[in-house]
Amino acid sequence: MRHGGTIEEFSLADQDAIENIIIPLMNVDRSTMSGLYNPTEPHAAQVMIGSAGYRNTYAYNTTLEMLVDMCFEPDKVFVFGGDYRIPVMHGLLSKKKILDKIKSTGTYKLETFLREYMSRWAGGSEDSYFSYSLIDRRRKILRPEYYPERRSDVFYTLGVDVGRFSDETVLEVFKTYTSGERFVSSLVNLIIMPGAGRHFQDQSIKIKQLDSIFNFRGIAVDINGPGAGLADFLIIEQEKDGEYYPAYGFSNKPKYRKTEMSNCVRKLFGVEASSAANSDYYKNAQLMLSLDRIRLLINERQARNYFAKFNYWNKMSVDKKATQLIPYIQTTKLQDQLVNLKANLETATSTINVQKIKSTIGKDLVSSFIYGLWFISLEEEKELKKRAGKGSLAQYSFYN
């Protein structure tokens, strides 16, 4: 049909095929029997039909766009949904058969029922290495931090994934409590620096400015590819607008010793990705999430409800409210990127190979996340060894 189209099983639709092949076929408006164009008739109508699928897919994002369009152009766009109860009510579907199907299949998942029968969009693909619902349970932090909490049992870490032109540089600030049996960390802020036109010199200064505020124990930075260019500026002294920024050095990369300054601040932790190293980084992040040893900011909807209790929030402009919600929105993007990853086990090496499920979704937020957590885990390992070395005399036996 050249003037309109219906796509069934929309949740499984191929974005490239729809946008590059099907929709362009409908670019000719239908004419009447007299050969004239009727401006009041809908042209190039698109009808999308299907059950719910997974968030952050083409179908999900298109549905959201159509919902927004419906608010502004209700005469042109319409979205509606329903669940199994409507056909049951009209006698078109048997509720007993649905229940029998679920009970007779021991492996039938609640998520599948919610998606297929209740029209609930699932948090992530069934292939996801990270669980959307698990990450949801870790979103407990009410407020981001722009200044550190001064406590002897707290240290801060910065995770950095470097971008230059097409990608963005991501800075993630972690706060770690050391007083318990095991370290517990919180991701308290996420800062996105535009890659396009952002010189490494400016990125380096931004990192040093953050360190002057939080006094990071470590700055875990990717030094592969564009990260090597950023490292070259991090290890030199810099000045901007009359402010001096010291040279930094790597604690774990001897190859930089020849170019580092003798008075450098040795806080940089270089990350050089490889299949084995990436496997360790992802496994560590999965473990910390599973054990509730990393907490994240609440989602933006919860944040709006939280701030609505304060008078100052209700007096703020829309722009200022949007700015205040940015760390919450970026945390949601991190969650979306995490659940867009699937892992294949390499049995010969016991490593996992992590890949994106949807190629259109980035993973820069994930990279800085796993780098920061990896540095924290190494610091915890040092602390546990130190504690073990301070055992009481009762731990030792003496023989004559």
Side-chain angles (χ1 to χ4, degrees):
M1 186 174 181
R2 295 298 298 272
H3 310 290
T6 300
I7 299 173
E8 296 196 19
E9 292 300 334
F10 179 48
S11 62
L12 304 176
D14 184 326
Q15 179 177 358
D16 291 335
I18 292 175
E19 293 186 343
N20 300 327
I21 301 173
I22 298 174
I23 291 179
L25 285 175
M26 300 186 291
N27 61 359
V28 179
D29 293 333
R30 194 181 79 87
S31 58
T32 63
M33 292 293 290
S34 62
L36 300 175
Y37 167 71
N38 182 357
T40 64
E41 178 183 346
H43 296 276
Q46 302 170 32
V47 180
M48 314 296 191
I49 303 172
S51 57
Y54 296 99
R55 298 181 189 182
N56 295 305
T57 59
Y58 171 65
Y60 178 78
N61 293 331
T62 302
T63 302
L64 288 180
E65 290 174 9
M66 293 171 69
L67 278 168
V68 174
D69 291 342
M70 185 175 69
C71 296
F72 294 97
E73 299 181 297
D75 57 329
K76 294 182 180 180
V77 183
F78 180 57
V79 179
F80 75 99
D83 58 44
Y84 77 97
R85 289 171 290 188
I86 295 176
V88 166
M89 182 175 65
H90 291 282
L92 301 174
L93 192 63
S94 169
K95 185 175 181 179
K96 183 178 183 302
K97 285 186 177 180
I98 296 174
L99 295 174
D100 287 344
K101 177 182 178 180
I102 295 172
K103 291 177 180 177
S104 63
T105 308
T107 57
Y108 196 83
K109 296 182 178 179
L110 173 62
E111 182 184 275
T112 303
F113 174 78
L114 292 174
R115 197 174 64 246
E116 298 292 337
Y117 287 95
M118 297 294 292
S119 294
R120 303 279 184 87
W121 292 85
S125 167
E126 291 177 342
D127 297 328
S128 295
Y129 181 58
F130 295 95
S131 164
Y132 198 95
S133 59
L134 174 65
I135 300 171
D136 256 347
R137 294 196 295 274
R138 302 297 175 252
R139 301 191 68 169
K140 305 174 182 180
I141 308 300
L142 292 175
R143 289 177 177 267
E145 291 189 19
Y146 300 95
Y147 298 95
E149 182 180 7
R150 304 294 182 185
R151 288 177 47 163
S152 59
D153 63 341
V154 165
F155 71 84
Y156 288 84
T157 301
L158 185 68
V160 183
D161 183 60
V162 185
R164 183 66 174 93
F165 294 108
S166 59
D167 298 318
E168 296 172 321
T169 291
V170 179
L171 312 176
E172 297 186 7
V173 179
F174 296 84
K175 176 183 184 179
T176 301
Y177 295 90
T178 64
S179 55
E181 185 177 344
R182 303 299 298 263
F183 286 6
V184 176
S185 301
S186 300
L187 179 57
V188 294
N189 212 334
L190 300 89
I191 300 161
I192 309 297
M193 298 183 66
R198 177 73 71 172
H199 197 283
F200 288 140
Q201 174 177 274
D202 299 322
Q203 297 187 25
S204 173
I205 287 175
K206 178 64 176 179
I207 290 170
K208 293 176 181 181
Q209 287 173 340
L210 283 173
D211 184 44
S212 69
I213 297 170
F214 286 96
N215 189 25
F216 298 118
R217 180 177 292 188
I219 300 169
V221 56
D222 173 18
I223 56 174
N224 279 338
L230 175 60
D232 286 342
F233 282 95
L234 287 169
I235 63 175
I236 64 173
E237 296 175 328
Q238 294 176 274
E239 184 272 334
K240 185 177 182 180
D241 299 330
E243 290 291 328
Y244 166 79
Y245 301 97
Y248 282 58
F250 286 90
S251 61
N252 67 325
K253 296 297 176 184
K255 66 182 182 180
Y256 279 94
R257 294 293 164 89
K258 291 182 180 180
T259 53
E260 290 171 347
M261 299 185 69
S262 58
N263 62 339
C264 66
V265 180
R266 202 165 292 285
K267 288 189 176 184
L268 301 178
F269 179 84
V271 176
E272 293 182 282
S274 66
S275 57
N278 283 341
S279 176
D280 290 338
Y281 302 154
Y282 282 108
K283 286 179 180 178
N284 178 65
Q286 173 70 278
L287 181 66
M288 293 184 76
L289 281 165
S290 300
L291 297 178
D292 195 15
R293 289 169 52 203
I294 176 67
R295 282 83 183 272
L296 311 173
L297 289 165
I298 57 177
N299 65 48
E300 54 272 28
R301 176 182 55 80
Q302 293 170 321
R304 279 194 295 267
N305 292 337
Y306 168 72
F307 287 122
K309 297 183 293 185
F310 301 97
N311 290 331
Y312 76 86
W313 173 263
N314 300 315
K315 297 176 182 177
M316 287 173 64
S317 67
V318 173
D319 289 344
K320 287 185 177 180
K321 286 181 179 179
T323 300
Q324 190 159 336
L325 291 173
I326 286 175
Y328 303 94
I329 295 169
Q330 297 298 352
T331 304
T332 297
K333 284 182 64 178
L334 167 63
Q335 182 175 9
D336 293 339
Q337 290 186 10
L338 283 167
V339 300
N340 186 52
L341 299 173
K342 62 180 179 180
N344 300 313
L345 178 66
E346 301 287 345
T347 53
T349 58
S350 296
T351 60
I352 57 171
N353 179 25
V354 176
Q355 298 174 325
K356 294 194 287 187
I357 297 170
K358 293 286 291 183
S359 60
T360 54
I361 299 174
K363 69 179 187 73
D364 45 358
L365 288 157
V366 173
S367 296
S368 52
F369 182 67
I370 62 176
Y371 299 157
L373 290 182
W374 181 251
F375 176 82
I376 292 167
S377 70
L378 295 179
E379 288 299 296
E380 181 182 37
E381 189 176 325
K382 291 180 190 175
E383 177 65 20
L384 292 176
K385 287 180 179 178
K386 188 187 299 183
R387 292 178 187 177
K390 292 181 178 179
S392 65
L393 290 176
Q395 291 179 285
Y396 302 94
S397 298
F398 296 89
Y399 296 92
N400 188 354

